[in-house]
C-alpha cells in the first residue's frame, strides 16, 4: 500500500481538488467504457466524499478546531468505515486500470482523510494522558488478552456500532479503542509512518517523564565513585522503589497500550515500543551495574547490593516478557549485566568479610564470661545474609573452602550447597577466634562458660533465622552438643570441689567429724558462690539447665547429710552456727547466680524471683 500512496500523491490542495472536480453525481463516463471497478469506485466516491470533505481540516474553521471523535463517535466510526471502503475500492481499481483518473480523485480524498485521522490521533494521545496513564492501562488491560480489533466493525451496521459503543466500560478503554481504530485504518491505507511518528514522540515523552519522576538519573561512573555512602545509599533505596513501579506499571502499561494500538502489525509494535522505552529502561537497569562497578567496596554495604540483585531477579520473568522484542533485547542484556556485576560485587564483599573475620582481634575478654560483641555482630551479619534467597544463586558455582578440617568435622553434610558451606565456614572462623579469646581467661571455669555462652548464642541465632534451613538440623545438633560439653566442663571445674565436700553416704560419724564436714561445705560453697556471682549466662534455657545440673549434683546429698546431723549439731553449744545453710538456702543461692554482679544474694528472702518457678522448685528439692 505504500507504493500506492507514492503513486497517487498529486501536489494540489484539497480546495483546488474540489473546485477542479465536479461532485460524483455530476461526474460521468461513457457507459460503454465503464467497468465494474469504475462503477464501484464511483459509488464509493459518491458516499465517501461528503463525509471526508466535511472533516477536511483545511476546508473549514469548524473542521479545524473540532474533534471528530469527541464531537460524534458514531460519525467517527462511519468516517473510518468509509475510508476503509475507499481504500478497498482503490486497491481493486488499481489492479484493473492503474491509469484511471478516478484513482487520482480517490487518492486526493484519501490524503484529506489521513490528515484528519492524523490530527485525531494526535489529539487523542495528547488530551488523554490521564486515561492513558501506564498505571491505568496496566490495571484495566492484559497484554495476553488484547481485545479484538474495532476495525472488524467497520463493515457492520450503525446498530452494531451503537451496541459496540454501549459496551465500552470506561474512558481509558474507549480511548484505547479509538487509537487502535485510527491506527488500523492509517496502517492499512499506507499511512502508518505518520501515525507511528506521532505515537513515538508523545509516548516516549511520557516514559522519560515517568523515569524522571521516579528519581532515576543517569550518572557517570566517576560521580558514583565520589558520592558519600549516605547519599549513594539514598539513591539506591530510591531506585529499589522505582524499579518496582517501572516494571509493574510504567513499562508494562506501555507494552499493553502499544500492543493494543498496533496489534495489526508486529513490526510497528516492536519499533514503537523499542523507541519509547529503550532509553529509559537502559538508564533504570544500568544504575545497579554502575554502582556495583564504581562504588567504594565494603562488606557492610553488601545488603544494598543484594537488595538490588533481588529487585531485578524477582522481576526477571516480567522483564524478559515485557522486553521480548529482538530490538529491546538490549534492555534485557543490560539487566543481565547488572545482575552479573552485582553478583561479582557480592562475592568480593564476602571475600573481604572473610578476611575481616580472619584478621579481627578478639583478645579482649568479656566480663562475666558473657557473649562477645564480635559474636553478636557476626551472627547478626550472617543472619541477615541468610534472609537473601538469591545468595544461593550468586554462590552456586563458588568452590568450597580450602580448609578440609572444617569440611570434615564442622560441616559433614555432603554434598552441601555452596552457600551453606560458605556460611558454615564463616562461623567456623568465628568459633576459632572465640577459642583463642577463651585462652585469655585466667579462670579456666570462666573460659568454658565463655565458650558455652557464645556458641549458644550462635545456635540461637541460627535457629531463629533462615540460617536454620541453610545449615541444617545436623549442624545445629552438633553445635548444641558442643555447648553441653563446655557447660559440663564449666561445672566440673567450678563446682566439683563443692560437690565433693558433701559426704556421698550418711555413715556413722562423730559430731566433730560432722562439724568438720559442715565447715568445709560452708567454706567451699561461700568461696565458689562469691566467685561465680559476676558470671553471666544470657540464655535463660542454658542458665536454668546449668543451675539444675549443679543443684542435682549438690542438693540431694547435702539434704540427706543435713537431715541426718543438723539435730546433733544443735544439741552441743560448741557447734552452734556450724550448720549455716539449709538445703533451701543453697537452692535459693544457686537460683541467684549467672545474672552478673550485684544480682546474687545469700539471703533466703525473695531470692527465687530470678529463675522460673519450675526451676526454682527443682533447685529447692
Amino acid at each position: 500500500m505504500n507504493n500506492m500512496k507514492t503513486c497517487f500523491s498529486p501536489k494540489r490542495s484539497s480546495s483546488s481538488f474540489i473546485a477542479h472536480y465536479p461532485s460524483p453525481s455530476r461526474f460521468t463516463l461513457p457507459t460503454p467504457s465503464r467497468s465494474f471497478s469504475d462503477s464501484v469506485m464511483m459509488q464509493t466516491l459518491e458516499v465517501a466524499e461528503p463525509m471526508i470533505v466535511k472533516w477536511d481540516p483545511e476546508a473549514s474553521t469548524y473542521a479545524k478546531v473540532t474533534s471528530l471523535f469527541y464531537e460524534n463517535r458514531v460519525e467517527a466510526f462511519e468516517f473510518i468505515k468509509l475510508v476503509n471502503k475507499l481504500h478497498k475500492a482503490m486497491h481493486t481499481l488499481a489492479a484493473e486500470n492503474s491509469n484511471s483518473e478516478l484513482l487520482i480523485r480517490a487518492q486526493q480524498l484519501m490524503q484529506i482523510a489521513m490528515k484528519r485521522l492524523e490530527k485525531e490521533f494526535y489529539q487523542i494521545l495528547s488530551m488523554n494522558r490521564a486515561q492513558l496513564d501506564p498505571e491505568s492501562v496496566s490495571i484495566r488491560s492484559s497484554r495476553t488478552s488484547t481485545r479484538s480489533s474495532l476495525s472488524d466493525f467497520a463493515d457492520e451496521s450503525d446498530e452494531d456500532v451503537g451496541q459496540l459503543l454501549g459496551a465500552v466500560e470506561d474512558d481509558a478503554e474507549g480511548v484505547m479503542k479509538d487509537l487502535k481504530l485510527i491506527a488500523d485504518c492509517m496502517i492499512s491505507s499506507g499511512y502508518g509512518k505518520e501515525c507511528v511518528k506521532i505515537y513515538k514522540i508523545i509516548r516516549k515523552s511520557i516514559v522519560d517523564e515517568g523515569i524522571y519522576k521516579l528519581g532515576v538519573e543517569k550518572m557517570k561512573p566517576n560521580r558514583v565513585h565520589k558520592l558519600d555512602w549516605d547519599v549513594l545509599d539514598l539513591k539506591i533505596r530510591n531506585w529499589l522503589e522505582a524499579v518496582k513501579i517501572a516494571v509493574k506499571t510504567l513499562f508494562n502499561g506501555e507494552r499493553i497500550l502499544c500492543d493494543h494500538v498496533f496489534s495489526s502489525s508486529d513490526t510497528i509494535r516492536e519499533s514503537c515500543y523499542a523507541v519509547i522505552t529503550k532509553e529509559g529502561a537502559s538508564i533504570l537497569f544500568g544504575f545497579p551495574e554502575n554502582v556495583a562497578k564504581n562504588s567504594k567496596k565494603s562488606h557492610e554495604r553488601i545488603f544494598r547490593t543484594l537488595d538490588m540483585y533481588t529487585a531485578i531477579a524477582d522481576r526477571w520473568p516480567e522483564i524478559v516478557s515485557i522486553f521480548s522484542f529482538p530490538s529491546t533485547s538490549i534492555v534485557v542484556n543490560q539487566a543481565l549485566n547488572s545482575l552479573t556485576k552485582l553478583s561479582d560485587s557480592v562475592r568480593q564483599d564476602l571475600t573481604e568479610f572473610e578476611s575481616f573475620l580472619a584478621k579481627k582481634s578478639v583478645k579482649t575478654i568479656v566480663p562475666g564470661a558473657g557473649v562477645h560483641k564480635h559474636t553478636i555482630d557476626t551472627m547478626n551479619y550472617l543472619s541477615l545474609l541468610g534472609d537473601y534467597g538469591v545468595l544461593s544463586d550468586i554462590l552456586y558455582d563458588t568452590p568450597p573452602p580450602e580448609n578440609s578440617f572444617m569440611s570434615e568435622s564442622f560441616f559433614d553434610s555432603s554434598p552441601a550447597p555452596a552457600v551453606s558451606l560458605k556460611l558454615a565456614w564463616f562461623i567456623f572462623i568465628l568459633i576459632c577466634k572465640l577459642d583463642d579469646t577463651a585462652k585469655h581467661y585466667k579462670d579456666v571455669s570462666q573460659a568454658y562458660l565463655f565458650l558455652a555462652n557464645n556458641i549458644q548464642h550462635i545456635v540461637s541465632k541460627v535457629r531463629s533465622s533462615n540460617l536454620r534451613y541453610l545449615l541444617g538440623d545436623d549442624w545445629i545438633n552438633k553445635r548444641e552438643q558442643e555447648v553441653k560439653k563446655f557447660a559440663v566442663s564449666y561445672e566440673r571445674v567450678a563446682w566439683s570441689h563443692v560437690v565433693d565436700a558433701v559426704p556421698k553416704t550418711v555413715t556413722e560419724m562423730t559430731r566433730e567429724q560432722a562439724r568438720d564436714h559442715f565447715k568445709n561445705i560452708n567454706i567451699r560453697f561461700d568461696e565458689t558462690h562469691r566467685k561465680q556471682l559476676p558470671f553471666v549466662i544470657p540464655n535463660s534455657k542454658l542458665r536454668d539447665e546449668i543451675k539444675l545440673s549443679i543443684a542435682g549434683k549438690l542438693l540431694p546429698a547435702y539434704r540427706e547429710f543435713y537431715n541426718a546431723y543438723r539435730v546433733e549439731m544443735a544439741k552441743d553449744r560448741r557447734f552452734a552456727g556450724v550448720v549455716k545453710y539449709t538445703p533451701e538456702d543453697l537452692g535459693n543461692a544457686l537460683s541467684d547466680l549467672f545474672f552478673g554482679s550485684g544480682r546474687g544474694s545469700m539471703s533466703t528472702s525473695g531470692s527465687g524471683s530470678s529463675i522460673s518457678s519450675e526451676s526454682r522448685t527443682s533447685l529447692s528439692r
Side-chain angles (χ1 to χ4, degrees), residues 517-574:
H517 278 298
F518 274 115
K519 281 186 176 181
N520 191 28
I521 292 170
N522 294 341
I523 291 171
R524 293 190 181 187
F525 186 84
D526 286 349
E527 178 185 306
T528 302
H529 185 272
R530 183 174 58 255
K531 189 176 180 180
Q532 301 301 309
L533 276 177
F535 288 18
V536 60
I537 304 178
N539 184 271
S540 60
K541 183 174 180 292
L542 179 61
R543 184 168 61 241
D544 285 356
E545 286 176 353
I546 291 179
K547 288 181 181 181
L548 290 173
S549 179
I550 296 170
K553 294 179 177 67
L554 177 63
L555 295 185
Y558 181 76
R559 180 176 288 106
E560 185 178 0
F561 176 66
Y562 172 85
N563 289 336
Y565 289 99
R566 68 183 178 89
V567 176
E568 289 294 319
M569 296 295 100
K571 290 179 180 179
D572 193 329
R573 287 185 177 181
R574 293 177 300 166

Side-chain angles (χ1 to χ4, degrees), residues 171-289:
D171 290 341
E173 187 173 352
V175 170
M176 290 173 65
K177 289 181 177 180
D178 289 348
L179 289 173
K180 174 176 172 51
L181 191 63
I182 296 173
D184 286 347
C185 182
M186 293 186 70
I187 292 170
S188 66
S189 300
Y191 288 78
K193 185 181 294 186
E194 289 79 358
C195 173
V196 166
K197 181 179 179 180
I198 294 171
Y199 188 89
K200 287 178 179 178
I201 292 173
I202 294 179
R203 296 313 298 181
K204 185 178 185 304
S205 69
I206 290 174
V207 171
D208 292 346
E209 181 182 339
I211 292 294
Y212 175 79
K213 287 183 176 179
L214 288 173
V216 180
E217 57 179 311
K218 187 174 184 179
M219 294 193 299
K220 295 181 178 179
N222 60 344
R223 184 186 171 197
V224 173
H225 187 73
K226 292 178 181 179
L227 286 177
D228 291 335
W229 171 246
D230 290 341
V231 177
L232 182 58
D233 184 56
L234 182 62
K235 290 184 179 295
I236 293 173
R237 284 189 280 126
N238 183 72
W239 180 89
L240 290 171
E241 291 300 315
V243 74
K244 298 176 186 176
I245 300 172
V247 173
K248 182 179 179 181
T249 300
L250 183 61
F251 296 127
N252 185 47
E254 283 300 326
R255 179 66 193 265
I256 291 170
L257 180 62
C258 193
D259 283 358
H260 184 87
V261 173
F262 298 111
S263 60
S264 63
S265 172
D266 291 342
T267 302
I268 292 177
R269 284 195 302 126
E270 177 175 355
S271 171
C272 283
Y273 192 70
V275 170
I276 290 168
T277 61
K278 194 155 52 176
E279 182 178 353
S282 295
I283 292 174
L284 179 73
F285 294 119
F287 176 79
E289 179 183 6

Side-chain angles (χ1 to χ4, degrees), residues 28-48:
T28 59
L29 291 173
T31 303
S33 61
R34 183 183 299 173
S35 66
F36 175 77
S37 298
D38 288 334
S39 299
V40 171
M41 177 59 78
M42 285 296 299
Q43 293 174 7
T44 303
L45 288 171
E46 184 175 359
V47 177

